[in-house]
Amino acid sequence: MKAKKFFGLLLVLLVLVMAVIPAGCSKKKVLRISMPGEYIDPELLTKFEKEFNCKVQQDTFDSNEAMYTKLMSGEEYDILIPSDYMIERLIAEEKLAEIDLKKVPNYENVNPLVKGQAFDPDNKYTVPYFYGTVGIVYDTTVIDEADLAQGWNILTNTKYKDKLYMYDSERDSFMVALKALGYSMNTTNETEINAAYDWLINQRDTMNPIYVCDEVMDSMIAGNKAMAVVYSGDAVAIISENEKLAFFEPDEGTNFWVDGMVMTKECKETDLAYSFMNFILENENATANTIAVGYTSPITEVANKVKNEDFADIDCYIPKTSENNEVFRHQKAEVKAKFAELWTKVKAH
């Protein structure tokens, strides 16, 4: 009898304890995201976790190719945030799940400019995250405004030797050279590719450029060089810290890019993934995100408001549109290998 009473009492106590344990102490769902580093307002992640009683497992990458390598090695994610040409590749390789846009109601507020792009013409797989262009940040006290008429070829003007940063990226650097020569940045023509290589070799030998990545931001803010090839969003951050600088997009055209949220076929938390996509596109959250990062929001109303209120003196926050602009397309293996080989030779000096 004593044993029965003891176990009965124990059962009652267990029921009482379970009744007062907060629901949040139960095992939380985990949303696994792979995205570029420093590409989201950290407070938004905390806000999302609280609002949806979940945990965000964030994995960052410094290039689309690094993300792809991890994915192919067996890493599993629910959401990826890659660039256009990588999305195109993932679609072709059947790595992505189609998006049910009815579950992302804020998608209707996305700028039509970033919808229906060649990498995802029917908007089946992509929810835009940020967009922008590539251009030249320059020191207005050093660079002669008249020389800007040279377009991309200002980067070979020996008047500015030793005063130039080039972006340490084969695709972006070859884009500059191809556009300077009047070619498509997506060309597969070997003659045009070799001409672009010669342009880059000539630039290297006559201009003595420094090839950099993210460190270009602090270096340009500090005034270490007079010109740098940068993404428009980085230009926003740079110019906001150094009023002597301005941004220039050559008339020959440039890379118009779109980074988007996509869902993998291995997504384990589909509902949570949809909630995150919609959460990011909510006006309040999209505003906080674009101000924190500096890149252009795909939400038209948000971008216009931020442009007028937060970045009123920085023209490059909303990139210019041009019929000469192009979106990078996924390269076939042999074409990519050719660019990689030539870029290695450019950097080998």
Side-chain angles (χ1 to χ4, degrees), residues 39-299:
Y39 211 41
I40 190 170
D41 180 354
E43 293 184 5
L44 286 181
L45 294 179
T46 302
K47 180 180 178 181
F48 180 79
E49 288 178 331
K50 290 181 178 180
E51 188 170 326
F52 292 90
N53 189 33
C54 67
K55 175 66 178 177
V56 175
Q57 181 178 305
Q58 182 191 22
D59 186 24
T60 61
F61 57 82
D62 57 10
S63 72
N64 286 282
E65 289 69 24
M67 179 277 297
Y68 180 83
T69 298
K70 281 190 174 183
L71 196 64
M72 294 303 103
S73 68
E75 293 286 346
E76 294 186 349
Y77 305 100
D78 301 300
I79 291 177
L80 309 172
I81 307 181
S83 298
D84 34 47
Y85 71 91
M86 183 56 69
I87 294 175
E88 182 177 15
R89 179 176 187 175
L90 294 172
I91 292 172
E93 296 179 1
E94 299 184 346
K95 302 297 183 183
L96 303 181
E98 289 192 16
I99 301 293
D100 182 356
L101 292 177
K102 293 180 182 178
K103 296 183 178 180
V104 192
N106 289 323
Y107 181 85
E108 67 179 18
N109 300 320
V110 169
N111 189 336
L113 178 67
V114 297
K115 295 180 180 179
Q117 292 290 334
F119 66 93
D120 185 9
D122 298 320
N123 306 306
K124 289 183 177 181
Y125 300 92
T126 312
V127 174
Y129 185 78
F130 282 132
Y131 75 96
T133 56
V134 175
I136 302 170
V137 162
Y138 65 97
D139 188 330
T140 59
T141 67
V142 177
I143 304 300
D144 186 341
E145 294 281 338
D147 290 335
L148 298 179
Q150 298 169 13
W152 287 114
N153 282 305
I154 193 175
L155 301 177
T156 61
N157 186 331
T158 54
K159 184 192 305 185
Y160 306 116
K161 181 181 179 180
D162 296 319
K163 298 179 180 180
L164 168 65
Y165 288 122
M166 284 290 287
Y167 203 73
D168 191 358
S169 159
E170 67 185 60
R171 291 212 77 173
D172 290 312
S173 291
F174 268 93
M175 179 277 292
V176 169
L178 287 164
K179 286 296 188 183
L181 294 168
Y183 301 137
S184 167
M185 68 187 203
N186 290 306
T187 185
T188 58
N189 182 294
E190 189 169 352
T191 300
E192 295 177 354
I193 294 171
N194 286 330
Y197 167 70
D198 290 339
W199 189 96
L200 289 168
I201 290 294
N202 174 67
Q203 183 203 45
R204 181 197 70 186
D205 294 343
T206 61
M207 297 294 291
N208 193 29
I210 303 298
Y211 302 99
V212 294
C213 292
D214 291 341
E215 61 267 31
V216 70
M217 296 179 66
D218 289 338
S219 296
M220 285 303 292
I221 290 171
N224 294 339
K225 300 288 182 183
M227 287 190 291
V229 175
V230 299
Y231 296 109
S232 55
D234 288 344
V236 171
I238 293 169
I239 294 170
S240 66
E241 296 292 333
N242 187 336
E243 62 183 13
K244 295 191 301 181
L245 303 178
F247 186 71
F248 168 58
E249 293 179 27
D251 291 338
E252 300 101 322
T254 186
N255 170 25
F256 174 85
W257 57 264
V258 179
D259 289 351
M261 296 178 282
V262 296
M263 189 184 302
T264 68
K265 280 194 171 180
E266 288 70 35
C267 180
K268 294 180 179 178
E269 298 292 348
T270 303
D271 290 341
L272 198 56
Y274 278 125
S275 295
F276 182 82
M277 292 177 175
N278 199 57
F279 173 89
I280 289 296
L281 297 185
E282 287 180 7
N283 278 23
E284 180 181 340
N285 300 329
T287 300
N289 208 24
T290 191
I291 291 174
V293 180
Y295 282 87
T296 314
S297 174
I299 304 299

